[in-house]
Amino acid sequence: MTPKSQRLTLALLALAAIVAAVLLAMSAMKDQAAFFYTPSDAKRQGLPLGKAVRLGGMVEAGSVHRAPDGVTVRFVVTDGKATTPVTFAGITPDLFREKSGVVAEGQFQPDGRFVATNLLAKHDEKYMPPEMAGNMHESRSLEP
């Protein structure tokens, strides 16, 4: 075998190893990926039942209700066009409150409710994820 064909064989084997590693990583990540939805997206595209997703929006004013057990919280997430009821059992972040931004990680239920396993509260009212910023501005421009 000539040195040129050895280098070509080695390069092809390295390329095949890289492609295999990327495909393996992608297949492992597809089960872990959490897609981001706003209430409008969930309503328009249908509920992704049985999948771990993120629901983002603003906590609707007057919607936060704490159960007597001290850990269960029910609230409504809105993006200005649609709303989604959320249930969370656990300790809420310190910045979680009405009229603030929230990203809830969890799953949609067949009845339209979202059961969150984790809550992330925004620390600044001016920041908004790019996917949600466009939707919020569109919904505000459509209001009467």
Side-chain angles (χ1 to χ4, degrees), residues 36-39 54-60 63-64 73 75-79 84-86 88 91-93 95-105 114 116 118-125 127-129 132 136:
F36 183 86
Y37 288 87
T38 62
R54 291 183 177 158
L55 175 70
M58 305 296 280
V59 179
E60 194 169 69
S63 70
V64 177
V73 179
F75 58 96
V76 175
V77 173
T78 183
D79 63 359
T84 302
V86 178
F88 174 68
I91 299 171
T92 59
L95 297 174
F96 176 79
R97 61 183 56 92
E98 295 175 353
K99 297 183 183 178
S100 70
V102 67
V103 175
E105 297 174 341
F114 188 81
N118 190 25
L119 289 182
L120 305 169
K122 288 192 323 185
H123 60 83
D124 182 9
E125 290 82 25
Y127 171 76
M128 195 168 295
M132 195 172 135
M136 292 293 286

Side-chain angles (χ1 to χ4, degrees), residues 17-76:
I18 289 171
V19 168
V22 167
L23 291 174
L24 185 62
M26 287 174 55
S27 71
M29 289 296 290
K30 76 176 178 183
D31 295 333
Q32 298 296 322
F35 296 102
F36 183 86
Y37 288 87
T38 62
S40 297
D41 293 337
K43 186 176 182 181
R44 182 175 53 251
Q45 298 172 5
L47 300 176
L49 300 175
K51 286 185 169 181
V53 296
R54 291 183 177 158
L55 175 70
M58 305 296 280
V59 179
E60 194 169 69
S63 70
V64 177
H65 301 287
R66 298 186 185 274
D69 65 7
V71 293
T72 304
V73 179
R74 289 181 178 81
F75 58 96
V76 175

